[in-house]
Amino acid sequence: MASPTTLPGLPPGAADPCVHCGFCLPTCASYRVLASEMDSPRGRIHALRAIEAGELELDATVASHFDTCLGCFACVTACPSGVRYDQLIEHTRPKLINAGQRSAWQTSFRQLLLQVLPYPNRLRALLQPLRAYTGTPLQALARHTGLTRLFGPEIEAMERLLPPLAAEAFSDQLPLINPAEGACRGRVTLLLGCVQRCFDPNVSTATVRVLQANGFEVVIPPDQGCCGAVSHHQGELELTRRLATDLVRSMNGIEGQLDAVLVAASGCGHTMKAYGELLTTEDTQFRAPVQDVQEFLAIHGLSEAFRARLKPLATTVAMHDACHMIHGQGIQAQPRQLLRAIPDLQLKEATEAGVCCGSAGIYNLVQYEEAAELGRIKADDLSSTGAELVASANIGCTMQLRRHLGDRADVLHPMELLAASAGLHPLPGVLKGSRIAKVAGEREDR
Ligand code: SF4
Ligand code: SF4
């Protein structure tokens, strides 16, 4: 009998069940666009076994095949043998950071992103000069003429994702205490996120309004920072632990009862649910369970008072399942269940719901070609449903989808749709004039 496979530094036996059947290949986003065995889960598992056996070195070429992995975990869902590829890639990523495995520019660019993205104040300082540019004819002209290409493909990829910057992006608007409406059903806190609070601040406000109207008090600690999802995804464990520890301290500093730590971005929720493994000492764990807000509302149910407020939104919505939601947290039915509560709203299903859109943390900035191809495929799949709107509950996916869908469909968070239907919070300014904004406007006029 063969001895169990133990990969250096990897969970013992994590790769053992792989029987090379290839069932994971059709769901793998990197294999989809690169069509190379080395860029598939099966190929990477084979490489890891060869490294363990001393037959292969983790040099720059081999490392590049791990860098093409999006960490979407579609292969984990697809694998009939129970291979924990998620554990394998998460344990491999820290080894890719060593000098010599990436170009000097790639290393510096990743470090720059990690010095900015997890810190809202730094991000805001960098974005401030761009307020006069985003959403203006100048931006449209720069994109149309290809001017942004002059700054290099990574900068061009960043610029392509840049949304119009709302005034709310530059300061947190929500107060510490957001009281429950009616009889109080519980007390929760909400992660504002780092990227989300700058690029889509409307999501947090809509989420808080929906929770309040459902009878939950929402406490927002003003000193909360990043959850560490971006650095976690890059295998930067020291930075992740620092950010996670600070966030736990901030949330645990809330006085009184706390029933849940809620998240409205699935990438963040996936990392926060992994704090049990990332943080080892007992005093650094949250004192309430981490839940996605949709998971939380599906468990507790929408209140009768809230249901009575919901007015028709006569529109069609294609649900986008973020990988860290569907594969990472097993959440698929809950967002649909909530959206079905909105009268006249019709849900549409895309053909390839489980395949990554190419966002994947900073993947669409550092592996921009593969990400752009995946973004185009996903946008075509979603728009082929004929839906006027796409629902996305992850900020990274939302930005990627907005870029690639263009004017084919608006992209909103399910909480924004619930808030709009309940007349609690207006739709984001960028959507004014769109079909869904008109529908919501008609609803308000009734
Ligand atoms: S990871 Fe699972 S699905 Fe993929 S080749 Fe191995 S056993 Fe088959
Ligand atoms: S995590 Fe996603 S991209 Fe990576 S091997 Fe699995 S399916 Fe492919």
mmCIF file with all atom_site columns, all heavy atoms in Angstrom, residues 180-199:
data_model
loop_
_atom_site.group_PDB
_atom_site.id
_atom_site.type_symbol
_atom_site.label_atom_id
_atom_site.label_alt_id
_atom_site.label_comp_id
_atom_site.label_asym_id
_atom_site.label_entity_id
_atom_site.label_seq_id
_atom_site.pdbx_PDB_ins_code
_atom_site.Cartn_x
_atom_site.Cartn_y
_atom_site.Cartn_z
_atom_site.occupancy
_atom_site.B_iso_or_equiv
_atom_site.pdbx_formal_charge
_atom_site.auth_seq_id
_atom_site.auth_comp_id
_atom_site.auth_asym_id
_atom_site.auth_atom_id
_atom_site.pdbx_PDB_model_num
ATOM 1   N N   . ALA A 1 180 ? -32.742 49.779 15.846 1.00 0.00 ? 180 ALA A N   1
ATOM 2   C CA  . ALA A 1 180 ? -33.725 48.918 15.187 1.00 0.00 ? 180 ALA A CA  1
ATOM 3   C C   . ALA A 1 180 ? -35.048 49.660 15.059 1.00 0.00 ? 180 ALA A C   1
ATOM 4   O O   . ALA A 1 180 ? -35.392 50.483 15.907 1.00 0.00 ? 180 ALA A O   1
ATOM 5   C CB  . ALA A 1 180 ? -33.931 47.655 16.009 1.00 0.00 ? 180 ALA A CB  1
ATOM 6   N N   . GLU A 1 181 ? -35.776 49.365 13.978 1.00 0.00 ? 181 GLU A N   1
ATOM 7   C CA  . GLU A 1 181 ? -37.138 49.900 13.846 1.00 0.00 ? 181 GLU A CA  1
ATOM 8   C C   . GLU A 1 181 ? -38.101 48.895 14.466 1.00 0.00 ? 181 GLU A C   1
ATOM 9   O O   . GLU A 1 181 ? -37.998 47.691 14.204 1.00 0.00 ? 181 GLU A O   1
ATOM 10  C CB  . GLU A 1 181 ? -37.493 50.100 12.375 1.00 0.00 ? 181 GLU A CB  1
ATOM 11  C CG  . GLU A 1 181 ? -36.817 51.314 11.765 1.00 0.00 ? 181 GLU A CG  1
ATOM 12  C CD  . GLU A 1 181 ? -37.186 51.469 10.284 1.00 0.00 ? 181 GLU A CD  1
ATOM 13  O OE1 . GLU A 1 181 ? -38.253 50.983 9.877  1.00 0.00 ? 181 GLU A OE1 1
ATOM 14  O OE2 . GLU A 1 181 ? -36.378 52.059 9.559  1.00 0.00 ? 181 GLU A OE2 1
ATOM 15  N N   . GLY A 1 182 ? -39.014 49.372 15.265 1.00 0.00 ? 182 GLY A N   1
ATOM 16  C CA  . GLY A 1 182 ? -39.979 48.469 15.913 1.00 0.00 ? 182 GLY A CA  1
ATOM 17  C C   . GLY A 1 182 ? -39.315 47.641 16.999 1.00 0.00 ? 182 GLY A C   1
ATOM 18  O O   . GLY A 1 182 ? -38.274 48.017 17.553 1.00 0.00 ? 182 GLY A O   1
ATOM 19  N N   . ALA A 1 183 ? -39.925 46.484 17.287 1.00 0.00 ? 183 ALA A N   1
ATOM 20  C CA  . ALA A 1 183 ? -39.388 45.608 18.334 1.00 0.00 ? 183 ALA A CA  1
ATOM 21  C C   . ALA A 1 183 ? -38.011 45.091 17.927 1.00 0.00 ? 183 ALA A C   1
ATOM 22  O O   . ALA A 1 183 ? -37.829 44.632 16.792 1.00 0.00 ? 183 ALA A O   1
ATOM 23  C CB  . ALA A 1 183 ? -40.337 44.430 18.547 1.00 0.00 ? 183 ALA A CB  1
ATOM 24  N N   . CYS A 1 184 ? -37.042 45.206 18.844 1.00 0.00 ? 184 CYS A N   1
ATOM 25  C CA  . CYS A 1 184 ? -35.663 44.824 18.522 1.00 0.00 ? 184 CYS A CA  1
ATOM 26  C C   . CYS A 1 184 ? -35.513 43.298 18.527 1.00 0.00 ? 184 CYS A C   1
ATOM 27  O O   . CYS A 1 184 ? -35.831 42.628 19.499 1.00 0.00 ? 184 CYS A O   1
ATOM 28  C CB  . CYS A 1 184 ? -34.697 45.459 19.523 1.00 0.00 ? 184 CYS A CB  1
ATOM 29  S SG  . CYS A 1 184 ? -32.981 45.150 19.081 1.00 0.00 ? 184 CYS A SG  1
ATOM 30  N N   . ARG A 1 185 ? -35.012 42.766 17.402 1.00 0.00 ? 185 ARG A N   1
ATOM 31  C CA  . ARG A 1 185 ? -34.831 41.305 17.278 1.00 0.00 ? 185 ARG A CA  1
ATOM 32  C C   . ARG A 1 185 ? -33.388 40.891 17.535 1.00 0.00 ? 185 ARG A C   1
ATOM 33  O O   . ARG A 1 185 ? -33.079 39.705 17.586 1.00 0.00 ? 185 ARG A O   1
ATOM 34  C CB  . ARG A 1 185 ? -35.228 40.856 15.869 1.00 0.00 ? 185 ARG A CB  1
ATOM 35  C CG  . ARG A 1 185 ? -36.680 41.135 15.528 1.00 0.00 ? 185 ARG A CG  1
ATOM 36  C CD  . ARG A 1 185 ? -36.919 40.946 14.036 1.00 0.00 ? 185 ARG A CD  1
ATOM 37  N NE  . ARG A 1 185 ? -36.856 39.565 13.606 1.00 0.00 ? 185 ARG A NE  1
ATOM 38  C CZ  . ARG A 1 185 ? -36.698 39.173 12.345 1.00 0.00 ? 185 ARG A CZ  1
ATOM 39  N NH1 . ARG A 1 185 ? -36.578 40.075 11.391 1.00 0.00 ? 185 ARG A NH1 1
ATOM 40  N NH2 . ARG A 1 185 ? -36.655 37.906 12.025 1.00 0.00 ? 185 ARG A NH2 1
ATOM 41  N N   . GLY A 1 186 ? -32.487 41.872 17.672 1.00 0.00 ? 186 GLY A N   1
ATOM 42  C CA  . GLY A 1 186 ? -31.095 41.506 17.909 1.00 0.00 ? 186 GLY A CA  1
ATOM 43  C C   . GLY A 1 186 ? -30.175 42.687 17.648 1.00 0.00 ? 186 GLY A C   1
ATOM 44  O O   . GLY A 1 186 ? -30.615 43.763 17.218 1.00 0.00 ? 186 GLY A O   1
ATOM 45  N N   . ARG A 1 187 ? -28.886 42.447 17.908 1.00 0.00 ? 187 ARG A N   1
ATOM 46  C CA  . ARG A 1 187 ? -27.897 43.532 17.796 1.00 0.00 ? 187 ARG A CA  1
ATOM 47  C C   . ARG A 1 187 ? -26.686 42.984 17.035 1.00 0.00 ? 187 ARG A C   1
ATOM 48  O O   . ARG A 1 187 ? -26.110 41.955 17.431 1.00 0.00 ? 187 ARG A O   1
ATOM 49  C CB  . ARG A 1 187 ? -27.507 43.967 19.205 1.00 0.00 ? 187 ARG A CB  1
ATOM 50  C CG  . ARG A 1 187 ? -26.858 45.299 19.305 1.00 0.00 ? 187 ARG A CG  1
ATOM 51  C CD  . ARG A 1 187 ? -26.979 45.799 20.737 1.00 0.00 ? 187 ARG A CD  1
ATOM 52  N NE  . ARG A 1 187 ? -26.382 47.103 20.886 1.00 0.00 ? 187 ARG A NE  1
ATOM 53  C CZ  . ARG A 1 187 ? -25.133 47.287 21.302 1.00 0.00 ? 187 ARG A CZ  1
ATOM 54  N NH1 . ARG A 1 187 ? -24.375 46.264 21.620 1.00 0.00 ? 187 ARG A NH1 1
ATOM 55  N NH2 . ARG A 1 187 ? -24.653 48.516 21.410 1.00 0.00 ? 187 ARG A NH2 1
ATOM 56  N N   . VAL A 1 188 ? -26.304 43.638 15.966 1.00 0.00 ? 188 VAL A N   1
ATOM 57  C CA  . VAL A 1 188 ? -25.237 43.127 15.106 1.00 0.00 ? 188 VAL A CA  1
ATOM 58  C C   . VAL A 1 188 ? -24.253 44.246 14.779 1.00 0.00 ? 188 VAL A C   1
ATOM 59  O O   . VAL A 1 188 ? -24.530 45.428 15.004 1.00 0.00 ? 188 VAL A O   1
ATOM 60  C CB  . VAL A 1 188 ? -25.815 42.566 13.784 1.00 0.00 ? 188 VAL A CB  1
ATOM 61  C CG1 . VAL A 1 188 ? -26.758 41.400 14.044 1.00 0.00 ? 188 VAL A CG1 1
ATOM 62  C CG2 . VAL A 1 188 ? -26.523 43.670 12.988 1.00 0.00 ? 188 VAL A CG2 1
ATOM 63  N N   . THR A 1 189 ? -23.108 43.843 14.224 1.00 0.00 ? 189 THR A N   1
ATOM 64  C CA  . THR A 1 189 ? -22.192 44.837 13.669 1.00 0.00 ? 189 THR A CA  1
ATOM 65  C C   . THR A 1 189 ? -21.979 44.488 12.196 1.00 0.00 ? 189 THR A C   1
ATOM 66  O O   . THR A 1 189 ? -22.285 43.367 11.768 1.00 0.00 ? 189 THR A O   1
ATOM 67  C CB  . THR A 1 189 ? -20.861 44.883 14.445 1.00 0.00 ? 189 THR A CB  1
ATOM 68  O OG1 . THR A 1 189 ? -20.050 45.930 13.894 1.00 0.00 ? 189 THR A OG1 1
ATOM 69  C CG2 . THR A 1 189 ? -20.099 43.575 14.371 1.00 0.00 ? 189 THR A CG2 1
ATOM 70  N N   . LEU A 1 190 ? -21.460 45.444 11.438 1.00 0.00 ? 190 LEU A N   1
ATOM 71  C CA  . LEU A 1 190 ? -21.273 45.232 9.997  1.00 0.00 ? 190 LEU A CA  1
ATOM 72  C C   . LEU A 1 190 ? -19.882 45.702 9.591  1.00 0.00 ? 190 LEU A C   1
ATOM 73  O O   . LEU A 1 190 ? -19.454 46.802 9.959  1.00 0.00 ? 190 LEU A O   1
ATOM 74  C CB  . LEU A 1 190 ? -22.333 46.016 9.201  1.00 0.00 ? 190 LEU A CB  1
ATOM 75  C CG  . LEU A 1 190 ? -22.201 45.950 7.680  1.00 0.00 ? 190 LEU A CG  1
ATOM 76  C CD1 . LEU A 1 190 ? -22.616 44.569 7.147  1.00 0.00 ? 190 LEU A CD1 1
ATOM 77  C CD2 . LEU A 1 190 ? -23.037 47.038 7.009  1.00 0.00 ? 190 LEU A CD2 1
ATOM 78  N N   . LEU A 1 191 ? -19.213 44.877 8.810  1.00 0.00 ? 191 LEU A N   1
ATOM 79  C CA  . LEU A 1 191 ? -17.917 45.268 8.237  1.00 0.00 ? 191 LEU A CA  1
ATOM 80  C C   . LEU A 1 191 ? -18.154 46.241 7.084  1.00 0.00 ? 191 LEU A C   1
ATOM 81  O O   . LEU A 1 191 ? -18.926 45.941 6.176  1.00 0.00 ? 191 LEU A O   1
ATOM 82  C CB  . LEU A 1 191 ? -17.180 44.023 7.712  1.00 0.00 ? 191 LEU A CB  1
ATOM 83  C CG  . LEU A 1 191 ? -15.836 44.334 7.054  1.00 0.00 ? 191 LEU A CG  1
ATOM 84  C CD1 . LEU A 1 191 ? -14.742 44.471 8.099  1.00 0.00 ? 191 LEU A CD1 1
ATOM 85  C CD2 . LEU A 1 191 ? -15.459 43.273 6.028  1.00 0.00 ? 191 LEU A CD2 1
ATOM 86  N N   . LEU A 1 192 ? -17.484 47.402 7.125  1.00 0.00 ? 192 LEU A N   1
ATOM 87  C CA  . LEU A 1 192 ? -17.624 48.349 6.017  1.00 0.00 ? 192 LEU A CA  1
ATOM 88  C C   . LEU A 1 192 ? -16.700 47.986 4.859  1.00 0.00 ? 192 LEU A C   1
ATOM 89  O O   . LEU A 1 192 ? -16.946 48.374 3.724  1.00 0.00 ? 192 LEU A O   1
ATOM 90  C CB  . LEU A 1 192 ? -17.295 49.770 6.492  1.00 0.00 ? 192 LEU A CB  1
ATOM 91  C CG  . LEU A 1 192 ? -18.199 50.347 7.592  1.00 0.00 ? 192 LEU A CG  1
ATOM 92  C CD1 . LEU A 1 192 ? -17.729 51.739 7.985  1.00 0.00 ? 192 LEU A CD1 1
ATOM 93  C CD2 . LEU A 1 192 ? -19.653 50.398 7.142  1.00 0.00 ? 192 LEU A CD2 1
ATOM 94  N N   . GLY A 1 193 ? -15.623 47.256 5.190  1.00 0.00 ? 193 GLY A N   1
ATOM 95  C CA  . GLY A 1 193 ? -14.667 46.875 4.148  1.00 0.00 ? 193 GLY A CA  1
ATOM 96  C C   . GLY A 1 193 ? -13.753 48.026 3.791  1.00 0.00 ? 193 GLY A C   1
ATOM 97  O O   . GLY A 1 193 ? -13.976 49.172 4.201  1.00 0.00 ? 193 GLY A O   1
ATOM 98  N N   . CYS A 1 194 ? -12.698 47.728 3.052  1.00 0.00 ? 194 CYS A N   1
ATOM 99  C CA  . CYS A 1 194 ? -11.775 48.796 2.656  1.00 0.00 ? 194 CYS A CA  1
ATOM 100 C C   . CYS A 1 194 ? -12.083 49.259 1.237  1.00 0.00 ? 194 CYS A C   1
ATOM 101 O O   . CYS A 1 194 ? -12.351 50.434 0.994  1.00 0.00 ? 194 CYS A O   1
ATOM 102 C CB  . CYS A 1 194 ? -10.334 48.335 2.791  1.00 0.00 ? 194 CYS A CB  1
ATOM 103 S SG  . CYS A 1 194 ? -9.994  46.719 2.083  1.00 0.00 ? 194 CYS A SG  1
ATOM 104 N N   . VAL A 1 195 ? -12.107 48.318 0.294  1.00 0.00 ? 195 VAL A N   1
ATOM 105 C CA  . VAL A 1 195 ? -12.397 48.686 -1.095 1.00 0.00 ? 195 VAL A CA  1
ATOM 106 C C   . VAL A 1 195 ? -13.866 49.086 -1.231 1.00 0.00 ? 195 VAL A C   1
ATOM 107 O O   . VAL A 1 195 ? -14.199 50.067 -1.895 1.00 0.00 ? 195 VAL A O   1
ATOM 108 C CB  . VAL A 1 195 ? -12.049 47.494 -2.027 1.00 0.00 ? 195 VAL A CB  1
ATOM 109 C CG1 . VAL A 1 195 ? -12.483 47.780 -3.453 1.00 0.00 ? 195 VAL A CG1 1
ATOM 110 C CG2 . VAL A 1 195 ? -10.555 47.221 -1.980 1.00 0.00 ? 195 VAL A CG2 1
ATOM 111 N N   . GLN A 1 196 ? -14.754 48.332 -0.563 1.00 0.00 ? 196 GLN A N   1
ATOM 112 C CA  . GLN A 1 196 ? -16.191 48.607 -0.697 1.00 0.00 ? 196 GLN A CA  1
ATOM 113 C C   . GLN A 1 196 ? -16.555 50.000 -0.184 1.00 0.00 ? 196 GLN A C   1
ATOM 114 O O   . GLN A 1 196 ? -17.368 50.696 -0.776 1.00 0.00 ? 196 GLN A O   1
ATOM 115 C CB  . GLN A 1 196 ? -17.008 47.560 0.036  1.00 0.00 ? 196 GLN A CB  1
ATOM 116 C CG  . GLN A 1 196 ? -18.510 47.775 -0.087 1.00 0.00 ? 196 GLN A CG  1
ATOM 117 C CD  . GLN A 1 196 ? -19.299 46.511 0.182  1.00 0.00 ? 196 GLN A CD  1
ATOM 118 O OE1 . GLN A 1 196 ? -19.353 45.616 -0.649 1.00 0.00 ? 196 GLN A OE1 1
ATOM 119 N NE2 . GLN A 1 196 ? -19.886 46.427 1.350  1.00 0.00 ? 196 GLN A NE2 1
ATOM 120 N N   . ARG A 1 197 ? -15.957 50.417 0.924  1.00 0.00 ? 197 ARG A N   1
ATOM 121 C CA  . ARG A 1 197 ? -16.371 51.713 1.479  1.00 0.00 ? 197 ARG A CA  1
ATOM 122 C C   . ARG A 1 197 ? -15.914 52.876 0.590  1.00 0.00 ? 197 ARG A C   1
ATOM 123 O O   . ARG A 1 197 ? -16.469 53.960 0.657  1.00 0.00 ? 197 ARG A O   1
ATOM 124 C CB  . ARG A 1 197 ? -15.900 51.879 2.917  1.00 0.00 ? 197 ARG A CB  1
ATOM 125 C CG  . ARG A 1 197 ? -14.489 52.257 3.138  1.00 0.00 ? 197 ARG A CG  1
ATOM 126 C CD  . ARG A 1 197 ? -14.237 52.571 4.598  1.00 0.00 ? 197 ARG A CD  1
ATOM 127 N NE  . ARG A 1 197 ? -14.013 51.375 5.383  1.00 0.00 ? 197 ARG A NE  1
ATOM 128 C CZ  . ARG A 1 197 ? -13.645 51.369 6.670  1.00 0.00 ? 197 ARG A CZ  1
ATOM 129 N NH1 . ARG A 1 197 ? -13.519 52.502 7.325  1.00 0.00 ? 197 ARG A NH1 1
ATOM 130 N NH2 . ARG A 1 197 ? -13.417 50.263 7.306  1.00 0.00 ? 197 ARG A NH2 1
ATOM 131 N N   . CYS A 1 198 ? -14.888 52.631 -0.245 1.00 0.00 ? 198 CYS A N   1
ATOM 132 C CA  . CYS A 1 198 ? -14.433 53.695 -1.157 1.00 0.00 ? 198 CYS A CA  1
ATOM 133 C C   . CYS A 1 198 ? -15.131 53.619 -2.519 1.00 0.00 ? 198 CYS A C   1
ATOM 134 O O   . CYS A 1 198 ? -15.468 54.647 -3.097 1.00 0.00 ? 198 CYS A O   1
ATOM 135 C CB  . CYS A 1 198 ? -12.925 53.586 -1.377 1.00 0.00 ? 198 CYS A CB  1
ATOM 136 S SG  . CYS A 1 198 ? -11.968 53.906 0.112  1.00 0.00 ? 198 CYS A SG  1
ATOM 137 N N   . PHE A 1 199 ? -15.321 52.413 -3.034 1.00 0.00 ? 199 PHE A N   1
ATOM 138 C CA  . PHE A 1 199 ? -15.821 52.293 -4.408 1.00 0.00 ? 199 PHE A CA  1
ATOM 139 C C   . PHE A 1 199 ? -17.315 52.020 -4.519 1.00 0.00 ? 199 PHE A C   1
ATOM 140 O O   . PHE A 1 199 ? -17.892 52.147 -5.596 1.00 0.00 ? 199 PHE A O   1
ATOM 141 C CB  . PHE A 1 199 ? -15.038 51.219 -5.168 1.00 0.00 ? 199 PHE A CB  1
ATOM 142 C CG  . PHE A 1 199 ? -13.597 51.594 -5.407 1.00 0.00 ? 199 PHE A CG  1
ATOM 143 C CD1 . PHE A 1 199 ? -12.566 50.793 -4.963 1.00 0.00 ? 199 PHE A CD1 1
ATOM 144 C CD2 . PHE A 1 199 ? -13.277 52.770 -6.064 1.00 0.00 ? 199 PHE A CD2 1
ATOM 145 C CE1 . PHE A 1 199 ? -11.243 51.141 -5.177 1.00 0.00 ? 199 PHE A CE1 1
ATOM 146 C CE2 . PHE A 1 199 ? -11.960 53.136 -6.285 1.00 0.00 ? 199 PHE A CE2 1
ATOM 147 C CZ  . PHE A 1 199 ? -10.942 52.317 -5.839 1.00 0.00 ? 199 PHE A CZ  1
#
